[in-house]
Amino acid sequence: MVGAAKTATATWRGRSAPLAPGLAAALAAVAVALAVHAVVPLLPAMTVAVVLGIAAVNLPGTSALCDGPLRAGLNFAGKHLMRAGIVFLGLKLSLGDIAGLGWETVGLVVGVVLLSFAGTYALGKLFRLDGDLPLLIATGFSICGASAIGAMAAVKGTRHADTVLPVALVTLCGTLAIGVLPLLMHPLGLDALRFGQWVGAGVHDVGQVVATAQTAGPVALGAAIIIKLTRVVLLAPIVGVVGGLERRRHRLRARASVTPAGAPRLEPAAPGKFPPVVPLFVVGFLATILLRTTGWLPSGVVAAGSTAQDIALGAALFGLGASVRVRQLFKTGARATVMALCSWVLIAALAFGAVHLMGS
């Protein structure tokens, strides 16, 4: 028994050793990103982490490291630490806070998310984006940025490399929101409360929402966070619906085969090969929401969970950013970039309309 334990330990060390350099680099990048955010609050730490990753893989001095000894750990961070960050994200959500908005406001927010999702997906098809790109971009733009992209990619079985472009686009458009939306506050006749509601309903990532809304003061920031977290709750049901459809598609494909004569024939399905309706980490996300809602968790635990989320998501976004080749992005992502900018405008317009309905 002792020998088996030693063998298992040796195996674990052998498998984890290639991950260590990349994970260490990702954690170091998170520390830098958090330090930059502390000095310049307008720059969200998660956005800085993505930019650092993009810089690392495109600069001559560090590019070879990202493609060599760091690659395994960076890929691990981009996939698995993203999922851990989504679980910890649930600790920021309380169903009581959302219920306090009133059912009319919650209904408007749900409407914005669904219309944003459908509109962005339609734009992706209109621009003839390949594979799962329309779905991933729609999920990230309408719900909660890179976290939502990671959750949807898990349900669809999307390759890690295919999530890079959607994450880059959601980072680009969220960064644009930080600079552009505050300039539109007064021309559009928005007070602090309505500006915060607009930002919460229309900006993609939680960090980007905070960075944009805080320019108008605490009233705007509070309104933005509550509206945004209401959108985040919708991650689980939307992923669940897509997961159910994907599972049904796999089941039909597994059962239907074609004989040499071309006639369809039913065969037993292979349940073990089906994707989950709701991935385990999304279940964890729901569990942490419920824990936070009960009020049982001490404030110290919630604060620790928030820190853990920042570290996990920051490392994941650095890992994803370190897969973005700028030259390749310009060649293959131009159409997707134009489509994403159209979606950004669409979502801002839908959120603006919802804000006016909230105040009517």
Side-chain angles (χ1 to χ4, degrees):
M1 195 168 191
V2 174
K6 288 183 177 179
T7 302
T9 302
T11 301
W12 180 83
R13 287 177 178 173
R15 290 178 178 177
S16 61
L19 302 178
L23 289 175
L27 293 174
V30 173
V32 173
L34 291 173
V36 170
H37 174 65
V39 175
V40 188
L42 197 61
L43 295 177
M46 301 303 104
T47 300
V48 175
V50 175
V51 172
L52 288 175
I54 294 173
V57 79
N58 287 280
L59 292 176
T62 54
S63 177
L65 290 174
C66 290
D67 289 333
L70 303 183
R71 177 47 52 195
L74 293 176
N75 287 345
F76 181 90
K79 181 177 181 180
H80 296 287
L81 293 187
M82 173 68 75
R83 297 178 180 187
I86 292 171
V87 174
F88 286 118
L89 178 60
L91 292 176
K92 292 186 175 181
L93 306 175
S94 170
L95 298 180
D97 292 338
I98 294 171
L101 292 173
W103 293 113
E104 182 180 351
T105 298
V106 171
L108 286 170
V109 173
V110 171
V112 168
V113 169
L114 295 179
L115 289 174
S116 300
F117 185 93
T120 302
Y121 184 79
L123 283 170
K125 291 297 187 181
L126 181 65
F127 278 78
R128 298 179 182 177
L129 300 188
D130 297 330
D132 293 335
L133 277 178
L135 180 63
L136 296 180
I137 296 172
T139 307
F141 275 50
S142 63
I143 304 175
C144 57
S147 302
I149 291 170
M152 187 60 75
V155 166
K156 289 289 292 180
T158 308
R159 295 184 309 156
H160 170 77
D162 292 337
T163 65
V164 171
L165 180 57
V167 169
L169 293 175
V170 83
T171 301
L172 168 66
C173 291
T175 304
L176 283 175
I178 296 170
V180 173
L181 265 58
L183 299 178
L184 299 176
M185 176 179 172
H186 294 300
L188 293 176
L190 298 174
D191 58 18
L193 176 61
R194 288 195 175 189
F195 177 73
Q197 292 171 334
W198 183 38
V199 171
V203 178
H204 314 315
D205 185 81
V206 175
Q208 296 161 351
V209 166
V210 171
T212 307
Q214 69 183 2
T215 60
V219 172
L221 181 58
I225 290 174
I226 293 298
I227 296 290
K228 176 60 187 176
L229 294 183
T230 303
R231 290 168 61 195
V232 174
V233 171
L234 296 174
L235 173 63
I238 287 181
V239 166
V241 169
V242 174
L245 294 174
E246 186 70 4
R247 189 177 179 86
R248 181 175 181 272
R249 186 175 68 86
H250 276 251
R251 183 181 292 111
L252 292 175
R253 179 178 293 179
R255 287 179 177 174
S257 64
V258 179
T259 64
R265 181 184 45 156
L266 292 181
E267 292 186 347
K273 297 182 180 180
F274 295 161
V277 176
V278 179
L280 187 60
F281 67 91
V282 177
V283 175
F285 167 72
L286 290 172
T288 52
I289 292 176
L290 294 176
L291 276 175
R292 175 64 189 276
T293 302
T294 63
W296 296 341
L297 295 178
S299 58
V301 172
V302 175
S306 179
T307 301
Q309 186 225 346
D310 288 341
I311 293 172
L313 285 184
L317 290 174
F318 177 79
L320 288 172
S323 300
V324 178
R325 292 286 184 178
V326 173
R327 288 183 181 178
Q328 185 179 3
L329 188 63
F330 283 147
K331 290 180 180 178
T332 62
R335 214 162 3 112
T337 301
V338 174
M339 172 261 161
L341 291 172
C342 292
S343 171
W344 179 56
V345 173
L346 169 67
I347 294 172
L350 289 171
F352 185 76
V355 166
H356 279 277
L357 290 175
M358 290 177 196
S360 62

